Structures are given as C-alpha cells and as structure tokens.
C-alpha cells in the first residue's frame, strides 16, 4: 500500500492548514479506498529550528537528532500532498525550512499541492514547484486552490465549496498514478545497482 504524507505547511497560531489537511485526507481516503494510506504530517510536531546543519543536505545527511527524525519520517512516504497558505507571495518559512533540511528523502517521489489564501496560494505553490524540481520530485499538475473569500466564512471558518471535491479526487488520482510509476522505476534502478 502506498503511503502518502499530507504536509501541513503552516505552524502559525490560528492557522487553518490543519483543517484543510484533514479535509483533504478525508476526501483522499474515501476516494482512494484501500489503495493508499494518507497520513497528516504536521510541522508543529517536528519543531525544526532554522536550518542548523553545517553541511548541505545534498552532500550529506544531517547529524542532529531532529534532522534524523525528520528524514526518517519523510523517507517513509511514497508521495506527498503539501497544504500551504501564502504569506507575502511565498510559502511559510517553516515549510521552506523543513524542505531544505533534506534532499535524498524527497527525490523520485511525486508531490501535489493544495493552497489556501486570498488567491488560493498560487504564487506560493509556484515557488514550491521550482523547489520540487531541484529536489528531483515529480511535480504533478493538478492543484487545488481554496480562496479565503469563497471557502472560508468571514475568512476564518473553513467551508469549502463542493466544486473542490472533484479537484481533490483528480489530484489524488494523478498522484497515485505517478506514485506507482515512480515506485516501479525505483525498483528497477535498485535491481540493476
């Protein structure tokens, strides 16, 4: 069974990302059935300090215990859905920091995005897509964009429009297709190595 990590990209007090991520997990689990296991990955639970590894992740794995725990968690997933708000046209610093801690653990895995904000976090996701390419991730095209004006009552109470349900289903379908394809490639690579 494929393991999909749904990363809650905000650690901000009063955030809405946890509610959005739970909604995505529930829809994904219902849609995919027993073909995948969708797990929430809350950055708040990992308390990663501002990148404190002396050597870049691309050249060597981190030595600090929090880096090792984070690497083990991320390495255990076959694919990811990143749930992100947009702060000043960018993803939250905590999310970028968490991504920067690792390199090999992200590679060869697909990633999809659910953004929320005034304009659905489109610009934040665009920056995450660029980062995914450098990390050798398969950045899939379907994206769910949730608007604070239309999917949150008074900008706070999460009430997504029903029209987003097929968008989440489409994202999940594409993500699982890529997950299976990349798993086959990884198996073939390790068999020839």
């Amino acid at each position: 069974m494929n393991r999909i990590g749904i990363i809650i990209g905000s650690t901000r007090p009063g955030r809405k990302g946890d509610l959005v991520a739970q909604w995505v997990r529930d829809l994904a689990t219902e849609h995919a059935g027993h073909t995948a296991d969708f797990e929430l990955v809350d950055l708040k639970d990992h308390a990663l300090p501002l990148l404190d590894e002396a050597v870049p992740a691309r050249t060597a794995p981190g030595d600090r215990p929090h880096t090792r725990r984070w690497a083990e968690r991320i390495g255990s997933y076959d694919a990811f859905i990143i749930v992100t708000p947009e702060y000043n046209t960018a993803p939250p610093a905590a999310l970028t920091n968490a991504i920067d801690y690792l390199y090999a653990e992200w590679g060869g895995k697909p990633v999809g995005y659910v953004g929320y904000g005034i304009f659905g976090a489109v610009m934040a996701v665009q920056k995450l897509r660029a980062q995914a390419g450098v990390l050798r991730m398969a950045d899939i095209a379907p994206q769910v964009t949730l608007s604070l004006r239309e999917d949150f009552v008074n900008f706070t109470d999460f009430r997504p429009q029903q029209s987003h349900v097929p968008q989440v289903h489409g994202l999940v379908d594409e993500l699982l297709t890529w997950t299976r394809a990349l798993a086959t490639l990884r198996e073939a690579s390790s068999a020839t190595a």
Side-chain angles (χ1 to χ4, degrees):
M1 180 182 305
N2 293 308
R3 294 186 71 224
I4 314 299
I6 301 174
I7 299 174
I8 303 170
S10 175
T11 59
R12 188 177 191 169
R15 68 187 177 161
K16 303 302 175 201
D18 52 341
L19 300 175
V20 174
Q22 289 169 13
W23 172 75
V24 170
R25 182 194 58 198
D26 293 347
L27 287 175
T29 299
E30 176 186 315
H31 181 67
H34 298 291
T35 62
D37 185 22
F38 296 87
E39 298 177 19
L40 297 179
V41 180
D42 194 340
L43 295 182
K44 284 177 91 170
D45 295 340
H46 292 276
L48 295 167
L50 191 56
L51 189 56
D52 64 349
E53 291 289 349
V55 179
R58 187 174 188 155
T59 59
D63 292 328
R64 299 188 183 274
H66 54 265
T67 306
R68 295 290 185 181
R69 284 190 301 272
W70 180 237
E72 183 177 314
R73 180 84 188 264
I74 293 304
S76 72
Y77 294 110
D78 301 303
F80 304 95
I81 297 172
I82 296 178
V83 175
T84 185
E86 185 170 286
Y87 302 149
N88 301 317
T89 74
L95 176 57
T96 301
N97 184 57
I99 293 169
D100 287 344
Y101 261 93
L102 307 175
Y103 182 77
E105 293 79 4
W106 301 114
K109 298 175 184 179
V111 59
Y113 304 94
V114 176
Y116 63 97
I118 295 297
F119 301 110
V122 172
M123 293 178 77
V125 169
Q126 183 178 14
K127 290 173 181 169
L128 290 168
R129 288 183 188 282
Q131 193 174 28
V134 172
L135 295 169
R136 304 173 299 116
M137 298 179 84
D139 168 27
I140 67 167
Q143 175 181 335
V144 179
T145 56
L146 302 166
S147 165
L148 289 178
R149 290 186 182 106
E150 298 169 358
D151 298 302
F152 294 80
V153 176
N154 296 324
F155 297 92
T156 57
D157 186 17
F158 182 52
R159 303 247 179 101
Q161 296 179 49
Q162 190 64 26
S163 61
H164 294 302
V165 172
Q167 293 172 353
V168 172
H169 291 169
L171 184 150
V172 167
D173 290 342
E174 185 83 7
L175 189 74
L176 292 177
T177 297
W178 276 93
T179 301
R180 288 187 290 274
L182 290 172
T184 302
L185 287 174
R186 283 194 306 270
E187 289 170 14
S189 289
S190 56
T192 60

